[in-house]
């Protein structure tokens, strides 16, 4: 042994190493301390050779990045920086690395525009480059801007999240784009998207643009979705295969419950949707214990999903008053829509009775968790709606994310997401759907979420079936929007705190009894 190295797992989920040029690893921020790794003379020689190759590769990459950025000119670089800042501002939290340098809009010391740093903040790494000559940009910043550009050009801001927790290098982005290209061509059944002619930034940029131009076609041929790995917040876009027996069994179970409880007939969700479209009027009338058929449909769909998918919770969100939204849209009252409180939205959360075991066998604690989830989902609806409006100043200034358009399946979210940690949510599916309201498409307007606190994770077949359930709910919402546009006054009044308490515990809300 000529050197004692170290290896450890950081609480961020990253593996960290001590190599000959580095100081000993700091104990804080590590899981279970460090493991010593003996280096022999042969190991040092191999490391030195590998390090030289890596340094040469990085030098060539940085020179290529600088050359490409120089070709864009000062104005072009300014546009790239604005694009990257907007992506950081409108995208869910992410953490990227350039060797030892961290770029993040999340927790820790923020270095990019996001919840903490406003656009133009001097601490934002991108804002600080705005008027800086290219030769004064650090090698890290040069690679950051190029890599962000390639990611955004390939699919929009959401693609940045797919680099979460990783070393953001041109080589890594090239690998990502190639994997996506292979998946897209497989879905299209032909080599529609050619590979990058080389690993240069110019050729990778051409590939990124090509991927984005074909993404819509791929989505029409197969279901795109993301896998989310909780500890690293890492997201991977995937192309789903066809529905198999498990997906069909899940859908059949949901269909059976809906036909037994709603005035609909059909052998699958698509047929139920057709039956609904043929006679949508009952959605605006009272049904059972609900003030409207829409409320009954939302509840029964979520309850059916809880049961059919063996979930601990299922939930479905939306807007309480579509007539109010339509009136505001027609009068272009963008500022008013942006100022609406989260109580303008709803989320129906239906836990499985057995989920009480995760909350101390307390029905009250289960009801509180259901309402906490509902409130958070109301916030999500509020957060996304502005992203569907014209970019008026009041819309641009309002905090919002780019609305989601594809579903995702998540693993071990209880290792990172605070809300999921607090409510024991380990595995989940999110299936967002767009709804057309008075001629304007609202992405992410409704969704279905399925949660498991333990046991087996959800899989691709679960996701495919869940996406059909959420599509059915979205179709009902769209039909109600058409009725509202024609003058029907429809409002969702259920799914508030007292409703969740009563639905989960079977009793009246203590706050209601006290008053």
């Amino acid at each position: 042994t000529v050197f004692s190295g170290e290896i450890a797992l950081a609480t961020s989920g990253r593996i960290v190493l001590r190599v000959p040029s580095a100081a000993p690893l700091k104990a804080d921020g590590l899981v279970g301390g460090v493991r010593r790794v003996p280096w022999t003379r042969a190991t040092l020689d191999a490391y030195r050779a590998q390090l030289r190759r890596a340094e040469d590769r990085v030098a060539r990459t940085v020179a290529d990045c600088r050359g490409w950025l120089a070709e864009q000119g000062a104005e072009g670089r300014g546009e790239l920086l604005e694009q990257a800042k907007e992506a950081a501002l409108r995208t869910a939290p992410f953490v990227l690395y350039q060797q030892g340098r961290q770029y993040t809009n999340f927790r820790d010391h923020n270095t990019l525009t996001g919840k903490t740093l406003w656009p133009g903040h001097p601490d934002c790494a991108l804002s600080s480059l705005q008027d800086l000559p290219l030769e004064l940009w650090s090698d890290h910043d040069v690679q950051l801007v190029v890599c962000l550009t390639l990611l955004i050009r390939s699919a929009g801001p959401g693609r940045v999240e797919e680099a979460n927790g990783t070393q953001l290098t041109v080589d890594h982005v090239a690998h990502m784009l190639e994997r996506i290209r292979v998946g897209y061509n497989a879905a299209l059944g032909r080599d529609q998207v050619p590979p990058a002619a080389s690993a240069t930034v110019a050729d990778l940029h051409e590939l990124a643009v090509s991927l984005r131009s074909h993404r819509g076609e791929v989505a029409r041929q197969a279901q795109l979705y993301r896998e989310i790995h909780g500890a690293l917040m890492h997201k991977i876009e995937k192309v789903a295969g066809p529905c198999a027996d498990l997906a069909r069994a899940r859908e059949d179970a949901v269909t059976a419950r809906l036909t037994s409880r709603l005035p609909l007939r059909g052998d699958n969700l698509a047929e139920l949707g057709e039956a609904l479209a043929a006679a949508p009027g009952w959605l605006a009338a009272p049904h059972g214990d609900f003030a409207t058929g829409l409320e009954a449909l939302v509840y029964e769909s979520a309850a059916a999903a809880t049961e059919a998918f063996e979930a601990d919770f299922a939930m479905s969100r939306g807007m309480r008053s579509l007539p109010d939204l339509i009136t505001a849209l027609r009068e272009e009252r963008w500022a008013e829509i942006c100022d609406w409180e989260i109580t303008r939205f709803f989320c129906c959360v239906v836990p499985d009775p057995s989920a009480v075991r995760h909350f101390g066998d307390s029905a009250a604690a289960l009801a509180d968790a259901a309402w906490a989830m509902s409130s958070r989902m109301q916030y999500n609806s509020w957060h996304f709606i502005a992203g569907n409006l014209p970019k008026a100043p009041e819309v641009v200034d309002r905090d919002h994310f780019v609305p989601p358009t594809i579903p995702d399946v998540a693993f071990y979210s209880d290792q990172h997401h605070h809300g999921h940690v607090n409510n024991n949510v380990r595995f989940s599916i999110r299936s967002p759907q767009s709804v057309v309201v008075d001629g304007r498409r609202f992405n992410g307007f409704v969704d279905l979420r399925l949660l498991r606190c333990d046991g087996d994770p959800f899989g691709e077949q679960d996701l495919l079936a869940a996406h059909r359930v959420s599509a059915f709910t979205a179709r009902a919402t769209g039909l109600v929007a058409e009725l509202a546009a024609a003058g029907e006054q429809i409002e969702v009044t259920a799914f508030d705190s007292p409703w969740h308490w009563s639905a989960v515990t079977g009793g009246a809300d203590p706050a209601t009894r006290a008053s």
Side-chain angles (χ1 to χ4, degrees):
T1 299
V2 294
F3 173 74
S4 182
E6 296 173 329
I7 185 170
L9 177 67
T11 54
S12 65
R14 301 180 74 226
I15 294 173
V16 290
L17 302 171
R18 181 193 177 193
V19 294
S21 58
L25 299 178
K26 294 182 179 180
D28 56 319
L30 300 181
V31 179
V34 302
R35 174 166 293 186
R36 301 288 181 179
V37 181
W39 290 47
T40 64
R41 179 67 61 186
T43 304
L44 279 176
D45 291 341
Y47 171 73
R48 190 160 43 205
Q50 178 65 26
L51 188 61
R52 281 197 298 268
R53 289 193 293 270
E55 289 172 342
D56 289 344
R57 186 170 65 250
V58 169
R60 291 194 301 271
T61 297
V62 170
D64 181 40
C65 289
R66 286 190 182 277
W68 187 81
L69 288 170
E71 291 176 0
Q72 310 310 305
E75 184 176 346
R77 289 193 297 276
E79 292 173 356
L80 295 181
L81 290 171
E82 288 297 331
Q83 173 185 257
K85 285 192 293 182
E86 179 70 7
L89 183 64
R90 307 301 182 195
T91 305
F94 60 84
V95 183
L96 309 172
Y97 297 91
Q98 268 290 328
Q99 297 182 21
R101 182 174 297 189
Q102 183 186 78
Y103 294 97
T104 182
N105 61 356
F106 179 65
R107 290 184 188 164
D108 299 334
H109 176 67
N110 280 202
T111 51
L112 295 175
T113 297
K115 295 292 186 185
T116 302
L117 304 184
W118 39 263
H121 194 289
D123 289 351
C124 170
L126 297 169
S127 297
S128 67
L129 300 175
Q130 200 71 49
D131 297 314
L132 202 64
L134 179 59
E135 60 268 24
L136 296 182
W137 291 20
S138 74
D139 289 349
H140 294 302
D141 291 340
V142 164
Q143 294 174 85
L144 172 74
V145 173
V146 166
C147 289
L148 289 178
T149 299
L150 294 174
L151 293 171
I152 296 166
R153 293 281 167 86
S154 73
R159 185 74 85 199
V160 177
E161 298 175 76
E162 295 178 36
N164 242 337
T166 68
Q167 283 284 332
L168 191 64
T169 66
V170 174
D171 283 348
H172 178 212
V173 172
H175 175 77
M176 288 177 61
L177 297 182
E178 175 61 15
R179 176 184 55 78
I180 295 163
R181 185 191 73 84
V182 171
Y184 282 12
N185 283 343
L188 295 171
R190 60 191 187 282
D191 290 337
Q192 185 72 15
V193 184
S198 73
T200 64
V201 175
D203 286 335
L204 291 174
H205 184 265
E206 186 174 331
L207 172 58
V209 172
S210 181
L211 288 172
R212 186 164 191 172
S213 68
H214 287 89
R215 196 164 185 256
E217 183 183 359
V218 173
R220 290 189 290 271
Q221 300 291 327
Q223 181 61 58
L224 295 176
Y225 72 98
R226 284 197 178 115
E227 281 186 353
I228 303 176
H229 299 273
L232 287 174
M233 305 183 292
H234 189 53
K235 304 185 180 184
I236 304 170
E237 183 183 88
K238 305 195 77 172
V239 181
C243 287
D245 290 345
L246 179 59
R248 286 189 287 269
R250 302 287 198 210
E251 182 179 356
D252 288 347
V254 172
T255 302
R257 171 159 178 152
L258 293 180
T259 54
S260 71
R261 303 194 178 220
L262 300 176
L264 296 171
R265 293 294 174 266
D267 293 330
N268 53 53
L269 292 172
E271 291 183 6
L272 294 191
E274 292 300 322
L276 192 61
W282 70 272
L283 290 168
H287 186 87
D289 295 331
F290 292 96
T292 65
L294 176 63
E295 292 178 357
L297 184 146
V298 168
Y299 169 76
E300 294 296 349
S301 297
T306 301
E307 190 176 282
F309 289 84
E310 304 167 89
D312 288 309
F313 296 86
M315 60 196 74
S316 186
R317 61 177 177 82
M319 173 162 274
R320 291 196 174 277
S321 178
L322 288 167
D324 285 355
L325 176 60
I326 289 168
T327 299
L329 290 175
R330 289 176 176 176
E331 297 177 6
E332 299 186 354
R333 301 201 307 259
W334 316 126
E336 178 183 322
I337 297 173
C338 288
D339 285 342
W340 283 346
E341 301 291 335
I342 66 169
T343 52
R344 291 278 195 155
F345 306 91
F346 72 83
C347 181
C348 170
V349 180
V350 182
D352 186 89
S354 68
V356 73
R357 70 189 188 279
H358 300 295
F359 298 88
D361 290 317
S362 167
L366 180 61
D368 287 342
W371 174 239
M373 294 175 188
S374 177
S375 297
R376 172 63 193 192
M377 293 304 103
Q378 291 175 49
Y379 168 77
N380 281 7
S381 289
W382 174 89
H383 207 201
F384 292 141
I385 194 169
N388 291 293
L389 300 177
K391 295 188 182 300
E394 53 268 38
V395 176
V396 172
D397 290 341
R398 210 270 248 159
D399 173 32
H400 67 270
F401 281 171
V402 175
T405 57
I406 63 174
D408 54 60
V409 56
F411 309 99
Y412 296 102
S413 296
D414 57 347
Q415 303 301 305
H416 129 73
H417 191 294
H418 281 176
H420 290 186
V421 172
N422 293 338
N423 293 299
N424 307 307
V425 178
R426 177 156 291 183
F427 307 116
S428 66
I429 286 175
R430 176 182 67 164
S431 174
Q433 297 283 349
S434 65
V435 174
V436 175
V437 181
D438 202 37
R440 179 178 291 276
R441 180 172 296 278
F442 283 80
N443 288 328
F445 193 71
V446 302
D447 71 19
L448 174 74
R449 293 182 186 236
L450 306 176
L451 311 179
R452 285 179 183 162
C453 300
D454 63 6
D456 295 327
F458 293 108
E460 182 177 283
Q461 291 297 309
D462 294 313
L463 179 139
L464 290 172
H467 206 47
R468 293 191 177 189
V469 178
S470 68
F472 171 74
T473 307
R475 186 164 192 182
T477 304
L479 291 169
V480 170
E482 292 176 7
L483 294 173
E488 192 81 48
Q489 292 302 307
I490 308 171
E491 185 171 350
V492 173
T493 56
F495 315 133
D496 56 7
S497 177
W499 183 91
H500 281 90
W501 182 273
S502 176
V504 175
T505 68
D509 188 336
T512 303
R513 290 202 305 269
S515 61

